[in-house]
Amino acid sequence: MPGFLMPRFPMRCALLTLIAVLLACPGQAADPVLAPSGTLRVAYIGTNVAQARRDPATGTVSGVVADITRELGRRAEVPVSITPLPTAAAVLEAVRSGQVDIGFVAPNPARTGIVLYSRTYMLVQQSALVSADSPLRSVKELDRPTQVIGVNTDDSVGVWLKGRLIAAKVRETPDYTLRDAVQWLRNGDVIAFAGGRQRLSSATLGVPGLRMLDDNFYGVPQAVAVPIDHQDRLQLVNTALGEMRSSGFLASSVARSGIDGLAVAPVDTQEP
C-alpha cells in the first residue's frame, strides 16, 4: 500500500546521498606497513645538503632524499611529510620513538642497535678543508704526529677517522654551521677540518683563506632507518630501493641534485 512505502523514500535518499559523498571524496587509505598514519612521515639531517635542501621561501624540500621519499609515497599511494632535523642523533630518535616512519642517516658502529638500516643507496664523499696557504695537498698527508683534524660531533667521518688514525688526533665540535671550523683553521688549532665535500664547501662559501683538498677519505654509506621492530617496513624499503637502482631512478636523482661528491652505491655495497 502507498502508506507503507512512504517511509522508505527518505532512507533511500539518505543512502544515495551518502554514497555520492563517498564517491566524490574518497578517503586516503593508510599503508599499514610503510605509513600507518596515512602519511609517510620522514626525517633527514637538515644541515646535510647531500641529502636534501629546503627552500627557505617556500619550504619545499628537494634532493635525493626528497625524490626517494616521494617515490615511496607514490608507490604506497599516500602523501608525504619531510622534516629536517638538526643532527643524525635527532633523526634516529625520531625514528626510534615513532615520531616518523623512516629517517635518512649514515649507519656507523655508534648507531647500531637503535634502529634497522636499509641497504646502502648512495655514497657521500668525505674530504677536508685546509687553510689556503697550507702545504697539505691530500687527505693522505693528515695522519701525522702532533696534527689535529677537526670534525663535527656525531658526523660519520669523525667516527671513521677515530678508528683509522694512527698519529693524528681528532677534535670535535657540535657547531654544524662551521663557524668553529673556520676559527680553528685560522688560529691553527687544527690543520684540517673533515666532512662531506658539499657540506664543507656550501657552508663556507665566500669565506676567504680556505680551500678543499682534491681527494677524499672515503664515501659515507647512506641508508634509510626504520624502527627496530619493523622488519616488514625494512623489507618494503629495501625492495623499493633495489628497483629504484635498477631502473636508473637513483642515478637520475643524484645527477639532478647537482651535489658534488655523490654517487649511487655499487651493488656490492648494498649492505650497511
Side-chain angles (χ1 to χ4, degrees):
M1 295 175 62
F4 291 108
L5 295 175
M6 289 297 292
R8 297 184 182 181
F9 290 121
M11 292 178 63
R12 289 178 179 174
C13 290
L15 181 59
L16 291 173
T17 300
L18 177 60
I19 293 173
V21 169
L22 291 174
L23 290 174
C25 304
Q28 180 65 63
D31 183 313
V33 175
L34 184 65
S37 70
T39 296
L40 176 57
R41 302 166 302 162
V42 173
Y44 73 98
I45 305 168
T47 56
N48 189 345
V49 294
Q51 289 188 339
R53 289 169 288 191
R54 183 176 182 274
D55 188 310
T58 66
T60 302
V61 180
S62 62
V64 177
V65 161
D67 289 346
I68 292 174
T69 297
R70 293 184 181 114
E71 176 61 11
L72 288 172
R74 185 192 68 79
R75 289 165 175 249
E77 298 184 329
V78 294
V80 302
S81 172
I82 309 174
T83 303
L85 294 177
T87 64
V91 172
L92 291 176
E93 175 56 25
V95 173
R96 187 200 65 78
S97 64
Q99 297 174 54
V100 299
D101 302 306
I102 62 174
F104 288 83
V105 289
N108 65 47
R111 299 172 185 170
T112 57
I114 303 171
V115 296
L116 298 175
Y117 294 103
S118 74
R119 292 168 181 156
T120 303
Y121 66 87
M122 183 173 73
L123 301 176
V124 179
Q125 298 300 329
Q126 308 292 296
S127 189
L129 287 172
V130 297
S131 297
D133 58 358
S134 171
L136 298 169
R137 296 293 166 183
S138 169
V139 296
K140 298 176 183 178
E141 302 174 79
L142 299 182
D143 191 11
R144 295 174 179 173
T146 74
Q147 294 192 158
V148 180
I149 303 170
V151 298
N152 279 122
T153 305
D154 199 39
D155 199 2
S156 292
V157 69
V159 176
W160 189 89
L161 287 171
K162 288 177 186 178
R164 288 164 176 79
L165 293 176
I166 297 173
K169 304 297 182 184
V170 170
R171 182 177 180 182
E172 297 180 81
T173 172
D175 174 30
Y176 274 76
T177 67
L178 298 191
R179 283 189 290 265
D180 283 351
V182 172
Q183 195 61 47
W184 289 357
L185 287 167
R186 286 176 173 170
N187 293 345
D189 298 324
V190 300
I191 52 95
F193 195 95
R197 294 190 69 91
Q198 182 68 27
R199 184 170 70 83
L200 293 179
S201 60
S202 62
T204 58
L205 188 66
V207 177
L210 302 176
R211 62 177 170 83
M212 185 85 69
L213 294 177
D214 292 334
D215 56 357
N216 305 301
F217 292 110
Y218 77 118
V220 171
Q222 301 294 302
V224 179
V226 306
I228 204 162
D229 58 346
H230 279 274
Q231 186 70 41
D232 53 350
R233 189 175 300 167
L234 179 67
Q235 183 176 352
L236 187 154
V237 169
N238 275 333
T239 297
L241 289 176
E243 292 172 356
M244 290 182 206
R245 179 198 310 277
S246 61
S247 69
F249 179 95
L250 284 178
S252 296
S253 179
V254 166
R256 190 167 54 252
S257 74
I259 301 295
D260 180 31
L262 299 190
V264 175
V267 174
D268 60 0
T269 63
Q270 284 189 16
E271 294 299 332

